Amino acid sequence: MTATQKHFEDNGQGHVFTFFDELSDTEKETLLQQASEIDLNELKGLVETLVNEPGEGNESIADALEPAAFTPLPESEGGNPSLWIEARDKGEAALRAGRVAAFTVAGGQGTRLGYDGPKGTFGVTPVLKKSLFQVFAEKILASSQIFGRPVPWFILTSIINHEETVAFLKENEYFGLHEEKVHFFSQGLMPAVDSGGKILMADKGQIALSPDGHGGALRALVRSGAVRQMEADGIDTISYFQVDNPLVRCLDPAFIGFHLMNESELSSKMVPKAYAEEKVGVFCEKEGTSLVVEYSDLPDRLAQEKDENGALRFRAGSIAIHIFDRNFVNRLGSGDDESAKLPFHLAHKKVPFIDSSGALTEPTEPNAYKFEMFVFDALPFAKNPVIIETNREDDFSPVKNATGIDSAQTSAEDQLRQFCRWAKAAGIEVATDETGLPSFSFEVSPLFGDTPGRFTQSWNALEHKPELTEGLVLV
Ligand code: UTP
């Protein structure tokens, strides 16, 4: 018996090796490798605290909860236009100085979309169906060209999609970015357990493992050596976004500027919630500490509460766009600081597993518990957290579902609306419906323009101005 087997036996998880003797040498090696990466102590603690004990009720979360303060947009009530100009200038200076990296979390499984492949390879633009990765690469390239410094791009994958992700970017020659500026690294995995806390087996030689959540990005940044590399390259500012949001401004100078001006360890963008029941986390404060409260944890009476102007009181919706200070990532991700650790959350899911006879069961009801960390749980540990308002239509339209809300269709429409707003700002006449949507599809490359100002500049420089019609692509 190997030391790993013994360790599992001693911790009540010996069944993981039930079929060990039937496995080939390579399969044995794989299983031992998977097993050795599981922290059984951590798992035991999680089972005890999350699976065996009922969680904290909504009402205790709600105790002493206040809405978080945020910096309003210049055009919003209380907005300060000169402050935004100062922030933009600071951010541009940081981009010129090469202090900023782009960071995409792409380790998720994208089950709701139901697409066979890494989500970043999914086609999203209205005409060319450019992949999410291409859209981000072009935005990063545009910023690199404008500010004269190539911006490094870090991409978090998981073991499930790592190879395909790397191959896709390579085949497409990194969409114009320098190969050595694109870095891939895999996040950690956690085993799924049954209601008794026993690790589930996907196969006789495979533990049922899944990525440890986007919060796992922080320890992956440290473990992979990405943080060390950033330090060596003079990067102290990490612009974080999710792989499913083609509208995101990957490197937003004003956002970067607010982060730096406030010496923040973690900055976030908010949008006012569209309606009380909208399924987004909300930025709150509790006893002087900022935090994101998930929509499912925000008691309805708070979600519905209005302020004196009739607006939702708890309206600062989180759209998963952040800027991290590199040293903060190191502090949290290294696990050295015992007082600053991201908690795990529990998800009850359907996970296929083999039983003690080796037969595969495909559950029809949730049978398993998975453990995930959330990146926004870093907020309470951050010094000088900054939250700024952004326009939803310029930053957030994720592709989560195959159809309906937050689908490829809604996201393509939101891209079209944005292109039309830019066209109108440049003085081009374009007919749209009351929601700003044109009756035809066209597309603007981020390299043509990724802001109204740069769109106008490129448009004015065109010798022959094309008619905005079906299928037009401005590159
Ligand atoms: P989601 O919460 O939308 O999860 O991830 P998902 O796995 O992509 O999709 P579903 O829920 O299975 O349909 C939000 C972002 O966080 C990343 C995703 O890749 C996406 O960019 N993420 C999520 C990770 O990088 N790792 C994870 O373990 C989970």
Side-chain angles (χ1 to χ4, degrees):
M1 189 185 276
T2 64
T4 307
Q5 279 173 281
K6 166 105 178 47
H7 181 52
F8 271 60
E9 198 72 56
D10 293 346
N11 282 278
Q13 302 285 8
H15 64 283
V16 164
F17 295 97
T18 307
F19 304 101
F20 196 63
D21 293 340
E22 294 176 27
L23 303 178
S24 69
D25 284 350
T26 350
E27 287 167 340
K28 281 182 180 159
E29 217 173 285
T30 306
L31 180 56
L32 283 169
Q33 178 63 28
Q34 286 183 352
S36 66
E37 282 173 21
I38 296 174
D39 181 341
L40 288 182
N41 249 339
E42 179 183 74
L43 185 67
K44 197 168 159 211
L46 293 175
V47 169
E48 273 164 18
T49 51
L50 296 176
V51 180
N52 297 346
E53 280 171 28
E56 197 182 49
N58 278 356
E59 285 308 315
S60 53
I61 288 174
D63 283 349
L65 215 53
E66 289 293 326
F70 59 86
T71 302
L73 279 165
E75 62 271 22
S76 294
E77 204 196 326
N80 177 345
S82 60
L83 191 63
W84 280 78
I85 291 170
E86 190 188 340
R88 189 201 58 203
D89 291 349
K90 287 256 161 47
E92 290 186 354
L95 286 162
R96 252 180 240 114
R99 289 174 61 182
V100 189
F103 176 36
T104 308
V105 286
Q109 292 175 294
T111 36
R112 281 171 289 172
L113 184 61
Y115 165 68
D116 186 19
K119 212 185 214 184
T121 67
F122 185 73
V124 289
T125 61
V127 177
L128 299 175
K129 303 288 171 223
K130 280 186 206 167
S131 65
L132 285 152
F133 281 136
Q134 181 168 0
V135 172
F136 303 139
E138 291 181 351
K139 289 186 180 188
I140 294 167
L141 185 57
S143 174
S144 302
Q145 288 172 351
I146 290 158
F147 300 108
R149 282 297 277 261
V151 174
W153 185 19
F154 290 80
I155 301 174
L156 179 75
T157 63
S158 83
I159 197 164
I160 299 154
N161 64 21
H162 184 83
E163 273 176 31
E164 259 186 285
T165 301
V166 175
F168 180 77
L169 270 294
K170 193 173 163 64
E171 269 157 32
N172 289 289
E173 295 176 355
Y174 306 92
F175 299 107
L177 296 171
H178 294 297
E179 179 173 4
E180 69 277 13
K181 291 283 175 192
V182 184
H183 309 282
F184 305 91
F185 59 106
S186 265
Q187 68 178 107
L189 298 167
M190 288 295 286
V193 300
D194 66 15
S195 56
K198 296 277 186 222
I199 293 174
L200 290 172
M201 297 298 290
D203 202 338
K204 289 184 177 176
Q206 299 275 347
I207 298 171
L209 293 166
S210 49
D212 58 2
H214 39 64
L218 303 184
R219 59 187 192 183
L221 276 165
V222 176
R223 283 179 187 168
S224 66
V227 163
R228 225 177 311 122
Q229 173 152 15
M230 289 177 187
E231 189 169 10
D233 294 346
I235 284 152
D236 58 8
T237 305
I238 306 170
S239 184
Y240 167 105
F241 52 92
Q242 301 192 330
V243 75
D244 52 24
N245 179 17
L247 274 193
V248 67
R249 277 175 288 190
C250 304
L251 297 154
D252 178 352
F255 188 31
I256 295 166
F258 276 116
H259 172 81
L260 295 173
M261 270 155 53
N262 289 283
E263 295 183 11
S264 171
E265 287 190 319
L266 174 55
S267 299
S268 310
K269 283 190 177 178
M270 66 70 88
V271 296
K273 274 172 71 170
Y275 47 94
E277 300 80 18
E278 195 184 3
K279 291 184 174 176
V280 290
V282 175
F283 290 103
C284 297
E285 266 173 39
K286 193 167 182 161
E287 289 149 11
T289 300
S290 304
L291 74 162
V292 172
V293 176
E294 283 185 88
Y295 65 87
S296 51
D297 287 337
L298 189 68
D300 194 47
R301 74 183 162 79
L302 295 189
Q304 303 285 347
E305 212 176 307
K306 301 269 173 71
D307 66 14
E308 62 284 0
N309 301 319
L312 292 174
R313 204 168 153 252
F314 288 87
R315 65 177 172 280
S318 171
I319 50 171
I321 302 174
H322 303 283
I323 296 181
F324 283 90
D325 170 66
R326 189 200 66 225
N327 288 334
F328 178 61
V329 169
N330 199 40
R331 179 155 68 88
L332 255 68
S334 64
D336 293 346
D337 183 350
E338 276 299 323
S339 64
K341 282 207 150 78
L342 294 193
F344 275 93
H345 297 256
L346 195 64
H348 200 199
K349 297 267 165 131
K350 287 185 264 184
V351 175
F353 66 101
I354 57 159
D355 60 23
S356 53
S357 71
L360 184 70
T361 304
E362 292 272 359
T364 50
E365 295 296 319
N367 62 312
Y369 293 96
K370 287 185 174 185
F371 304 97
E372 282 192 343
M373 287 179 279
F374 298 156
V375 82
F376 52 74
D377 279 331
L379 192 55
F381 303 115
K383 286 192 206 103
N384 309 330
V386 163
I387 301 167
I388 68 163
E389 184 182 11
T390 186
N391 279 317
R392 183 189 294 255
E393 58 269 28
D394 283 328
D395 246 325
F396 187 60
S397 185
V399 180
K400 297 274 185 201
N401 305 308
T403 53
I405 294 178
D406 293 343
S407 61
Q409 185 181 342
T410 56
S411 184
E413 288 175 356
D414 286 339
Q415 291 170 62
L416 272 172
R417 290 186 181 96
Q418 185 180 55
F419 300 150
C420 285
R421 286 195 301 280
W422 293 349
K424 286 178 182 173
I428 307 166
E429 263 184 46
V430 44
T432 54
D433 70 11
E434 67 283 1
T435 72
L437 192 64
S439 58
F440 59 94
S441 281
F442 72 110
E443 178 166 331
V444 181
S445 161
L447 295 162
F448 184 86
D450 61 351
T451 60
R454 280 195 283 275
F455 178 93
T456 301
Q457 229 175 5
S458 297
W459 180 260
N460 289 343
L462 285 180
E463 218 169 290
H464 300 290
K465 306 217 180 334
E467 204 187 321
L468 293 200
T469 48
E470 177 66 39
L472 175 77
V473 178
L474 289 169
V475 275

